[in-house]
Amino acid sequence: MTTTQGRPVLPSVILETEHLRLRAFVEDDIDDVYASCSDPGIQRWIPLPGPGVPYTREDAEAWCRETAPGVRTGGEGQQWAMVEQETGRLVGSVGLVRVLWTAMTTEVGYWVSPWGRGRGYATEAAVAVSRWAVGQGFQRVEIKAATDNTGSRRVAERAGFGFEGVERSAMPLHEGRADLAVYSLLPADLV
């Protein structure tokens, strides 16, 4: 790993799974990112770009061109575009966020495009990214999901994360706040 501003920088890698290719976001992803992130199903649980702020095409452009690549180069984590192996179409996003280098902990975050839902892509991506993170030396990987977001909670469970408890009123949404179910994966869980 290299460093930037005193923080490690994760290597730029492409991860391959049975159905997905996890790669960096590119210019050609902008339209699909915009269509995905402005979808009410995603907006319900992830207040992109911020609580009470509508998602715009300019937000998608910034995400693909600056924000997603900047997460890695700034030592803050890493973001991957979930791309269907068969079609080459973007079907979601998965990333390592909230990296605490001193503790070697991180969180897996994801969203799935409306046209990619119900196929197990989030679980497949969460497994790949969390195992890769453990291979990079992380000692704790978390997934947090709104307690009422049963789909996202199922992803954590199917990816082998253990439920730990609930953070009350932990996430602002477009309307109100959500309690977050906390799941974790430790290297010892994979032995």
mmCIF file of all heavy atoms in Angstrom, residues 21-64:
data_model
loop_
_atom_site.group_PDB
_atom_site.id
_atom_site.type_symbol
_atom_site.label_atom_id
_atom_site.label_comp_id
_atom_site.label_asym_id
_atom_site.label_seq_id
_atom_site.Cartn_x
_atom_site.Cartn_y
_atom_site.Cartn_z
ATOM 1 N N ARG A 21 -18.210 -7.961 -12.328
ATOM 2 C CA ARG A 21 -16.861 -7.388 -12.403
ATOM 3 C C ARG A 21 -16.936 -6.106 -11.596
ATOM 4 O O ARG A 21 -17.756 -5.231 -11.886
ATOM 5 C CB ARG A 21 -16.485 -7.105 -13.852
ATOM 6 C CG ARG A 21 -15.123 -6.510 -13.998
ATOM 7 C CD ARG A 21 -14.837 -6.228 -15.472
ATOM 8 N NE ARG A 21 -13.550 -5.593 -15.548
ATOM 9 C CZ ARG A 21 -12.495 -6.074 -16.179
ATOM 10 N NH1 ARG A 21 -12.592 -7.200 -16.843
ATOM 11 N NH2 ARG A 21 -11.361 -5.424 -16.168
ATOM 12 N N LEU A 22 -16.127 -5.987 -10.575
ATOM 13 C CA LEU A 22 -16.085 -4.800 -9.728
ATOM 14 C C LEU A 22 -14.871 -3.988 -10.176
ATOM 15 O O LEU A 22 -13.736 -4.430 -10.026
ATOM 16 C CB LEU A 22 -15.982 -5.188 -8.251
ATOM 17 C CG LEU A 22 -17.056 -6.163 -7.756
ATOM 18 C CD1 LEU A 22 -16.831 -6.502 -6.285
ATOM 19 C CD2 LEU A 22 -18.454 -5.625 -7.974
ATOM 20 N N ARG A 23 -15.143 -2.819 -10.733
ATOM 21 C CA ARG A 23 -14.088 -1.998 -11.314
ATOM 22 C C ARG A 23 -14.335 -0.536 -10.970
ATOM 23 O O ARG A 23 -15.376 -0.176 -10.423
ATOM 24 C CB ARG A 23 -14.049 -2.181 -12.835
ATOM 25 C CG ARG A 23 -15.402 -1.885 -13.502
ATOM 26 C CD ARG A 23 -15.232 -1.178 -14.813
ATOM 27 N NE ARG A 23 -16.465 -1.027 -15.549
ATOM 28 C CZ ARG A 23 -17.300 0.004 -15.419
ATOM 29 N NH1 ARG A 23 -17.080 0.963 -14.548
ATOM 30 N NH2 ARG A 23 -18.386 0.078 -16.166
ATOM 31 N N ALA A 24 -13.388 0.310 -11.319
ATOM 32 C CA ALA A 24 -13.534 1.745 -11.079
ATOM 33 C C ALA A 24 -14.694 2.300 -11.910
ATOM 34 O O ALA A 24 -15.032 1.761 -12.975
ATOM 35 C CB ALA A 24 -12.246 2.461 -11.452
ATOM 36 N N PHE A 25 -15.288 3.371 -11.408
ATOM 37 C CA PHE A 25 -16.316 4.068 -12.177
ATOM 38 C C PHE A 25 -15.656 4.794 -13.342
ATOM 39 O O PHE A 25 -14.543 5.297 -13.220
ATOM 40 C CB PHE A 25 -17.061 5.075 -11.287
ATOM 41 C CG PHE A 25 -18.080 4.428 -10.411
ATOM 42 C CD1 PHE A 25 -17.727 3.955 -9.155
ATOM 43 C CD2 PHE A 25 -19.391 4.273 -10.840
ATOM 44 C CE1 PHE A 25 -18.655 3.340 -8.345
ATOM 45 C CE2 PHE A 25 -20.329 3.655 -10.038
ATOM 46 C CZ PHE A 25 -19.970 3.189 -8.787
ATOM 47 N N VAL A 26 -16.367 4.843 -14.470
ATOM 48 C CA VAL A 26 -15.875 5.515 -15.669
ATOM 49 C C VAL A 26 -16.948 6.457 -16.198
ATOM 50 O O VAL A 26 -18.110 6.411 -15.780
ATOM 51 C CB VAL A 26 -15.453 4.501 -16.760
ATOM 52 C CG1 VAL A 26 -14.272 3.646 -16.285
ATOM 53 C CG2 VAL A 26 -16.618 3.622 -17.171
ATOM 54 N N GLU A 27 -16.563 7.294 -17.121
ATOM 55 C CA GLU A 27 -17.451 8.282 -17.735
ATOM 56 C C GLU A 27 -18.732 7.642 -18.280
ATOM 57 O O GLU A 27 -19.822 8.200 -18.154
ATOM 58 C CB GLU A 27 -16.681 8.984 -18.861
ATOM 59 C CG GLU A 27 -17.380 10.157 -19.457
ATOM 60 C CD GLU A 27 -17.037 11.466 -18.765
ATOM 61 O OE1 GLU A 27 -16.139 11.507 -17.914
ATOM 62 O OE2 GLU A 27 -17.707 12.446 -19.087
ATOM 63 N N ASP A 28 -18.615 6.461 -18.881
ATOM 64 C CA ASP A 28 -19.779 5.791 -19.467
ATOM 65 C C ASP A 28 -20.800 5.337 -18.428
ATOM 66 O O ASP A 28 -21.905 4.938 -18.792
ATOM 67 C CB ASP A 28 -19.338 4.589 -20.309
ATOM 68 C CG ASP A 28 -18.678 5.007 -21.613
ATOM 69 O OD1 ASP A 28 -18.808 6.192 -22.009
ATOM 70 O OD2 ASP A 28 -18.028 4.139 -22.235
ATOM 71 N N ASP A 29 -20.461 5.393 -17.151
ATOM 72 C CA ASP A 29 -21.387 4.983 -16.091
ATOM 73 C C ASP A 29 -22.333 6.105 -15.661
ATOM 74 O O ASP A 29 -23.292 5.858 -14.921
ATOM 75 C CB ASP A 29 -20.610 4.519 -14.853
ATOM 76 C CG ASP A 29 -19.796 3.267 -15.098
ATOM 77 O OD1 ASP A 29 -20.200 2.427 -15.928
ATOM 78 O OD2 ASP A 29 -18.733 3.125 -14.451
ATOM 79 N N ILE A 30 -22.088 7.325 -16.087
ATOM 80 C CA ILE A 30 -22.826 8.479 -15.553
ATOM 81 C C ILE A 30 -24.337 8.321 -15.694
ATOM 82 O O ILE A 30 -25.076 8.529 -14.724
ATOM 83 C CB ILE A 30 -22.325 9.796 -16.191
ATOM 84 C CG1 ILE A 30 -20.913 10.101 -15.708
ATOM 85 C CG2 ILE A 30 -23.272 10.958 -15.875
ATOM 86 C CD1 ILE A 30 -20.224 11.252 -16.432
ATOM 87 N N ASP A 31 -24.823 7.962 -16.867
ATOM 88 C CA ASP A 31 -26.278 7.859 -17.058
ATOM 89 C C ASP A 31 -26.892 6.797 -16.154
ATOM 90 O O ASP A 31 -27.957 7.011 -15.561
ATOM 91 C CB ASP A 31 -26.622 7.578 -18.524
ATOM 92 C CG ASP A 31 -26.365 8.773 -19.424
ATOM 93 O OD1 ASP A 31 -26.350 9.922 -18.919
ATOM 94 O OD2 ASP A 31 -26.166 8.563 -20.639
ATOM 95 N N ASP A 32 -26.228 5.634 -16.027
ATOM 96 C CA ASP A 32 -26.754 4.573 -15.160
ATOM 97 C C ASP A 32 -26.661 4.948 -13.686
ATOM 98 O O ASP A 32 -27.538 4.598 -12.895
ATOM 99 C CB ASP A 32 -26.039 3.243 -15.422
ATOM 100 C CG ASP A 32 -26.532 2.554 -16.691
ATOM 101 O OD1 ASP A 32 -27.646 2.876 -17.166
ATOM 102 O OD2 ASP A 32 -25.809 1.677 -17.205
ATOM 103 N N VAL A 33 -25.605 5.665 -13.294
ATOM 104 C CA VAL A 33 -25.497 6.135 -11.904
ATOM 105 C C VAL A 33 -26.637 7.116 -11.618
ATOM 106 O O VAL A 33 -27.299 7.018 -10.585
ATOM 107 C CB VAL A 33 -24.116 6.769 -11.626
ATOM 108 C CG1 VAL A 33 -24.109 7.521 -10.290
ATOM 109 C CG2 VAL A 33 -23.029 5.700 -11.632
ATOM 110 N N TYR A 34 -26.876 8.027 -12.537
ATOM 111 C CA TYR A 34 -27.962 8.992 -12.342
ATOM 112 C C TYR A 34 -29.323 8.292 -12.240
ATOM 113 O O TYR A 34 -30.102 8.549 -11.315
ATOM 114 C CB TYR A 34 -27.982 10.032 -13.468
ATOM 115 C CG TYR A 34 -29.162 10.962 -13.380
ATOM 116 C CD1 TYR A 34 -29.360 11.752 -12.257
ATOM 117 C CD2 TYR A 34 -30.088 11.032 -14.407
ATOM 118 C CE1 TYR A 34 -30.462 12.593 -12.157
ATOM 119 C CE2 TYR A 34 -31.188 11.865 -14.324
ATOM 120 C CZ TYR A 34 -31.372 12.647 -13.195
ATOM 121 O OH TYR A 34 -32.462 13.464 -13.094
ATOM 122 N N ALA A 35 -29.596 7.378 -13.162
ATOM 123 C CA ALA A 35 -30.871 6.654 -13.122
ATOM 124 C C ALA A 35 -31.013 5.848 -11.838
ATOM 125 O O ALA A 35 -32.097 5.770 -11.257
ATOM 126 C CB ALA A 35 -30.991 5.740 -14.348
ATOM 127 N N SER A 36 -29.924 5.269 -11.373
ATOM 128 C CA SER A 36 -29.955 4.452 -10.153
ATOM 129 C C SER A 36 -30.152 5.309 -8.911
ATOM 130 O O SER A 36 -31.036 5.042 -8.086
ATOM 131 C CB SER A 36 -28.652 3.661 -10.015
ATOM 132 O OG SER A 36 -28.470 2.802 -11.099
ATOM 133 N N CYS A 37 -29.322 6.312 -8.759
ATOM 134 C CA CYS A 37 -29.310 7.093 -7.517
ATOM 135 C C CYS A 37 -30.496 8.040 -7.387
ATOM 136 O O CYS A 37 -30.782 8.504 -6.289
ATOM 137 C CB CYS A 37 -27.993 7.844 -7.383
ATOM 138 S SG CYS A 37 -26.618 6.723 -7.067
ATOM 139 N N SER A 38 -31.197 8.311 -8.469
ATOM 140 C CA SER A 38 -32.416 9.118 -8.370
ATOM 141 C C SER A 38 -33.647 8.234 -8.212
ATOM 142 O O SER A 38 -34.754 8.734 -8.044
ATOM 143 C CB SER A 38 -32.546 10.038 -9.589
ATOM 144 O OG SER A 38 -32.556 9.297 -10.792
ATOM 145 N N ASP A 39 -33.458 6.924 -8.227
ATOM 146 C CA ASP A 39 -34.556 5.970 -8.055
ATOM 147 C C ASP A 39 -35.120 6.052 -6.641
ATOM 148 O O ASP A 39 -34.361 6.079 -5.665
ATOM 149 C CB ASP A 39 -34.035 4.551 -8.317
ATOM 150 C CG ASP A 39 -35.064 3.495 -7.992
ATOM 151 O OD1 ASP A 39 -36.061 3.399 -8.726
ATOM 152 O OD2 ASP A 39 -34.876 2.771 -6.985
ATOM 153 N N PRO A 40 -36.442 6.090 -6.501
ATOM 154 C CA PRO A 40 -37.045 6.171 -5.157
ATOM 155 C C PRO A 40 -36.646 5.032 -4.225
ATOM 156 O O PRO A 40 -36.554 5.234 -3.014
ATOM 157 C CB PRO A 40 -38.553 6.142 -5.435
ATOM 158 C CG PRO A 40 -38.694 6.608 -6.853
ATOM 159 C CD PRO A 40 -37.442 6.158 -7.565
ATOM 160 N N GLY A 41 -36.382 3.847 -4.767
ATOM 161 C CA GLY A 41 -35.972 2.722 -3.922
ATOM 162 C C GLY A 41 -34.639 2.956 -3.248
ATOM 163 O O GLY A 41 -34.433 2.543 -2.100
ATOM 164 N N ILE A 42 -33.716 3.599 -3.936
ATOM 165 C CA ILE A 42 -32.426 3.931 -3.327
ATOM 166 C C ILE A 42 -32.578 5.161 -2.444
ATOM 167 O O ILE A 42 -32.074 5.212 -1.321
ATOM 168 C CB ILE A 42 -31.340 4.132 -4.405
ATOM 169 C CG1 ILE A 42 -30.990 2.773 -5.014
ATOM 170 C CG2 ILE A 42 -30.096 4.805 -3.818
ATOM 171 C CD1 ILE A 42 -29.996 2.804 -6.141
ATOM 172 N N GLN A 43 -33.291 6.164 -2.941
ATOM 173 C CA GLN A 43 -33.464 7.404 -2.186
ATOM 174 C C GLN A 43 -34.171 7.171 -0.844
ATOM 175 O O GLN A 43 -33.944 7.919 0.106
ATOM 176 C CB GLN A 43 -34.239 8.425 -3.019
ATOM 177 C CG GLN A 43 -33.421 9.024 -4.146
ATOM 178 C CD GLN A 43 -32.353 9.959 -3.620
ATOM 179 O OE1 GLN A 43 -32.604 10.820 -2.789
ATOM 180 N NE2 GLN A 43 -31.133 9.792 -4.106
ATOM 181 N N ARG A 44 -34.981 6.142 -0.763
ATOM 182 C CA ARG A 44 -35.678 5.855 0.498
ATOM 183 C C ARG A 44 -34.697 5.558 1.629
ATOM 184 O O ARG A 44 -34.917 5.956 2.770
ATOM 185 C CB ARG A 44 -36.620 4.667 0.302
ATOM 186 C CG ARG A 44 -37.342 4.280 1.565
ATOM 187 C CD ARG A 44 -38.316 3.164 1.337
ATOM 188 N NE ARG A 44 -38.982 2.843 2.596
ATOM 189 C CZ ARG A 44 -39.616 1.718 2.815
ATOM 190 N NH1 ARG A 44 -39.733 0.824 1.857
ATOM 191 N NH2 ARG A 44 -40.168 1.494 3.984
ATOM 192 N N TRP A 45 -33.608 4.841 1.314
ATOM 193 C CA TRP A 45 -32.694 4.374 2.351
ATOM 194 C C TRP A 45 -31.356 5.071 2.360
ATOM 195 O O TRP A 45 -30.626 5.005 3.349
ATOM 196 C CB TRP A 45 -32.476 2.864 2.213
ATOM 197 C CG TRP A 45 -33.738 2.094 2.323
ATOM 198 C CD1 TRP A 45 -34.347 1.362 1.342
ATOM 199 C CD2 TRP A 45 -34.584 1.988 3.465
ATOM 200 N NE1 TRP A 45 -35.507 0.807 1.811
ATOM 201 C CE2 TRP A 45 -35.682 1.177 3.120
ATOM 202 C CE3 TRP A 45 -34.531 2.509 4.767
ATOM 203 C CZ2 TRP A 45 -36.697 0.871 4.002
ATOM 204 C CZ3 TRP A 45 -35.548 2.206 5.648
ATOM 205 C CH2 TRP A 45 -36.610 1.390 5.269
ATOM 206 N N ILE A 46 -30.969 5.700 1.249
ATOM 207 C CA ILE A 46 -29.676 6.381 1.175
ATOM 208 C C ILE A 46 -29.946 7.809 0.702
ATOM 209 O O ILE A 46 -30.272 8.015 -0.468
ATOM 210 C CB ILE A 46 -28.710 5.667 0.198
ATOM 211 C CG1 ILE A 46 -28.584 4.180 0.544
ATOM 212 C CG2 ILE A 46 -27.337 6.338 0.234
ATOM 213 C CD1 ILE A 46 -27.808 3.374 -0.487
ATOM 214 N N PRO A 47 -29.797 8.781 1.567
ATOM 215 C CA PRO A 47 -30.137 10.156 1.196
ATOM 216 C C PRO A 47 -29.039 10.816 0.352
ATOM 217 O O PRO A 47 -28.273 11.640 0.820
ATOM 218 C CB PRO A 47 -30.297 10.847 2.544
ATOM 219 C CG PRO A 47 -29.357 10.115 3.444
ATOM 220 C CD PRO A 47 -29.379 8.677 2.976
ATOM 221 N N LEU A 48 -28.969 10.399 -0.910
ATOM 222 C CA LEU A 48 -27.972 10.941 -1.830
ATOM 223 C C LEU A 48 -28.525 12.169 -2.540
ATOM 224 O O LEU A 48 -29.679 12.143 -2.956
ATOM 225 C CB LEU A 48 -27.590 9.889 -2.875
ATOM 226 C CG LEU A 48 -26.937 8.618 -2.329
ATOM 227 C CD1 LEU A 48 -26.823 7.581 -3.428
ATOM 228 C CD2 LEU A 48 -25.583 8.927 -1.742
ATOM 229 N N PRO A 49 -27.777 13.241 -2.701
ATOM 230 C CA PRO A 49 -26.415 13.468 -2.221
ATOM 231 C C PRO A 49 -26.365 13.875 -0.758
ATOM 232 O O PRO A 49 -25.301 13.869 -0.152
ATOM 233 C CB PRO A 49 -25.909 14.594 -3.113
ATOM 234 C CG PRO A 49 -27.126 15.391 -3.416
ATOM 235 C CD PRO A 49 -28.240 14.370 -3.512
ATOM 236 N N GLY A 50 -27.528 14.214 -0.168
ATOM 237 C CA GLY A 50 -27.615 14.565 1.240
ATOM 238 C C GLY A 50 -29.077 14.653 1.625
ATOM 239 O O GLY A 50 -29.945 14.789 0.755
ATOM 240 N N PRO A 51 -29.380 14.560 2.911
ATOM 241 C CA PRO A 51 -30.774 14.613 3.350
ATOM 242 C C PRO A 51 -31.499 15.854 2.818
ATOM 243 O O PRO A 51 -31.005 16.969 2.930
ATOM 244 C CB PRO A 51 -30.672 14.652 4.877
ATOM 245 C CG PRO A 51 -29.349 14.011 5.177
ATOM 246 C CD PRO A 51 -28.452 14.408 4.032
ATOM 247 N N GLY A 52 -32.644 15.611 2.165
ATOM 248 C CA GLY A 52 -33.474 16.698 1.656
ATOM 249 C C GLY A 52 -32.992 17.326 0.367
ATOM 250 O O GLY A 52 -33.595 18.280 -0.121
ATOM 251 N N VAL A 53 -31.932 16.783 -0.238
ATOM 252 C CA VAL A 53 -31.377 17.356 -1.477
ATOM 253 C C VAL A 53 -31.631 16.373 -2.625
ATOM 254 O O VAL A 53 -31.221 15.216 -2.548
ATOM 255 C CB VAL A 53 -29.853 17.609 -1.330
ATOM 256 C CG1 VAL A 53 -29.284 18.198 -2.607
ATOM 257 C CG2 VAL A 53 -29.569 18.499 -0.126
ATOM 258 N N PRO A 54 -32.298 16.812 -3.705
ATOM 259 C CA PRO A 54 -32.549 15.900 -4.828
ATOM 260 C C PRO A 54 -31.254 15.534 -5.562
ATOM 261 O O PRO A 54 -30.337 16.345 -5.669
ATOM 262 C CB PRO A 54 -33.481 16.689 -5.750
ATOM 263 C CG PRO A 54 -33.587 18.055 -5.206
ATOM 264 C CD PRO A 54 -32.889 18.117 -3.884
ATOM 265 N N TYR A 55 -31.201 14.313 -6.058
ATOM 266 C CA TYR A 55 -30.036 13.819 -6.803
ATOM 267 C C TYR A 55 -30.131 14.304 -8.249
ATOM 268 O O TYR A 55 -31.162 14.166 -8.887
ATOM 269 C CB TYR A 55 -29.996 12.286 -6.759
ATOM 270 C CG TYR A 55 -28.651 11.726 -7.143
ATOM 271 C CD1 TYR A 55 -27.635 11.623 -6.208
ATOM 272 C CD2 TYR A 55 -28.391 11.309 -8.448
ATOM 273 C CE1 TYR A 55 -26.391 11.125 -6.545
ATOM 274 C CE2 TYR A 55 -27.150 10.804 -8.789
ATOM 275 C CZ TYR A 55 -26.156 10.712 -7.842
ATOM 276 O OH TYR A 55 -24.914 10.224 -8.174
ATOM 277 N N THR A 56 -29.029 14.853 -8.768
ATOM 278 C CA THR A 56 -29.006 15.408 -10.115
ATOM 279 C C THR A 56 -27.997 14.677 -10.993
ATOM 280 O O THR A 56 -27.135 13.942 -10.497
ATOM 281 C CB THR A 56 -28.628 16.902 -10.092
ATOM 282 O OG1 THR A 56 -27.265 17.011 -9.634
ATOM 283 C CG2 THR A 56 -29.553 17.707 -9.173
ATOM 284 N N ARG A 57 -28.093 14.925 -12.288
ATOM 285 C CA ARG A 57 -27.109 14.361 -13.211
ATOM 286 C C ARG A 57 -25.718 14.895 -12.883
ATOM 287 O O ARG A 57 -24.726 14.170 -13.015
ATOM 288 C CB ARG A 57 -27.475 14.669 -14.653
ATOM 289 C CG ARG A 57 -26.606 13.899 -15.640
ATOM 290 C CD ARG A 57 -27.085 14.022 -17.073
ATOM 291 N NE ARG A 57 -26.505 13.029 -17.943
ATOM 292 C CZ ARG A 57 -25.217 12.915 -18.262
ATOM 293 N NH1 ARG A 57 -24.328 13.734 -17.739
ATOM 294 N NH2 ARG A 57 -24.789 11.987 -19.087
ATOM 295 N N GLU A 58 -25.625 16.129 -12.427
ATOM 296 C CA GLU A 58 -24.330 16.699 -12.041
ATOM 297 C C GLU A 58 -23.717 15.924 -10.875
ATOM 298 O O GLU A 58 -22.499 15.758 -10.800
ATOM 299 C CB GLU A 58 -24.467 18.183 -11.689
ATOM 300 C CG GLU A 58 -24.760 19.085 -12.878
ATOM 301 C CD GLU A 58 -26.204 19.006 -13.387
ATOM 302 O OE1 GLU A 58 -27.131 18.670 -12.588
ATOM 303 O OE2 GLU A 58 -26.415 19.236 -14.591
ATOM 304 N N ASP A 59 -24.569 15.437 -9.960
ATOM 305 C CA ASP A 59 -24.072 14.602 -8.862
ATOM 306 C C ASP A 59 -23.474 13.301 -9.402
ATOM 307 O O ASP A 59 -22.427 12.847 -8.929
ATOM 308 C CB ASP A 59 -25.197 14.278 -7.872
ATOM 309 C CG ASP A 59 -25.690 15.487 -7.116
ATOM 310 O OD1 ASP A 59 -24.861 16.331 -6.713
ATOM 311 O OD2 ASP A 59 -26.928 15.599 -6.937
ATOM 312 N N ALA A 60 -24.141 12.705 -10.389
ATOM 313 C CA ALA A 60 -23.636 11.468 -11.000
ATOM 314 C C ALA A 60 -22.310 11.727 -11.711
ATOM 315 O O ALA A 60 -21.377 10.910 -11.633
ATOM 316 C CB ALA A 60 -24.660 10.890 -11.970
ATOM 317 N N GLU A 61 -22.210 12.855 -12.406
ATOM 318 C CA GLU A 61 -20.960 13.210 -13.084
ATOM 319 C C GLU A 61 -19.826 13.367 -12.068
ATOM 320 O O GLU A 61 -18.721 12.845 -12.264
ATOM 321 C CB GLU A 61 -21.134 14.502 -13.877
ATOM 322 C CG GLU A 61 -22.035 14.355 -15.083
ATOM 323 C CD GLU A 61 -22.391 15.682 -15.734
ATOM 324 O OE1 GLU A 61 -21.902 16.744 -15.284
ATOM 325 O OE2 GLU A 61 -23.180 15.662 -16.704
ATOM 326 N N ALA A 62 -20.100 14.080 -10.991
ATOM 327 C CA ALA A 62 -19.082 14.283 -9.955
ATOM 328 C C ALA A 62 -18.680 12.956 -9.321
ATOM 329 O O ALA A 62 -17.495 12.722 -9.043
ATOM 330 C CB ALA A 62 -19.586 15.256 -8.896
ATOM 331 N N TRP A 63 -19.649 12.077 -9.085
ATOM 332 C CA TRP A 63 -19.365 10.772 -8.490
ATOM 333 C C TRP A 63 -18.388 9.985 -9.369
ATOM 334 O O TRP A 63 -17.370 9.477 -8.887
ATOM 335 C CB TRP A 63 -20.649 9.972 -8.279
ATOM 336 C CG TRP A 63 -20.387 8.588 -7.781
ATOM 337 C CD1 TRP A 63 -20.409 7.432 -8.513
ATOM 338 C CD2 TRP A 63 -20.015 8.214 -6.457
ATOM 339 N NE1 TRP A 63 -20.081 6.369 -7.727
ATOM 340 C CE2 TRP A 63 -19.831 6.821 -6.459
ATOM 341 C CE3 TRP A 63 -19.817 8.917 -5.282
ATOM 342 C CZ2 TRP A 63 -19.463 6.113 -5.318
ATOM 343 C CZ3 TRP A 63 -19.443 8.215 -4.143
ATOM 344 C CH2 TRP A 63 -19.274 6.827 -4.169
ATOM 345 N N CYS A 64 -18.698 9.875 -10.652
ATOM 346 C CA CYS A 64 -17.880 9.061 -11.550
ATOM 347 C C CYS A 64 -16.516 9.683 -11.839
ATOM 348 O O CYS A 64 -15.520 8.968 -11.951
ATOM 349 C CB CYS A 64 -18.625 8.824 -12.868
ATOM 350 S SG CYS A 64 -20.090 7.777 -12.671
#
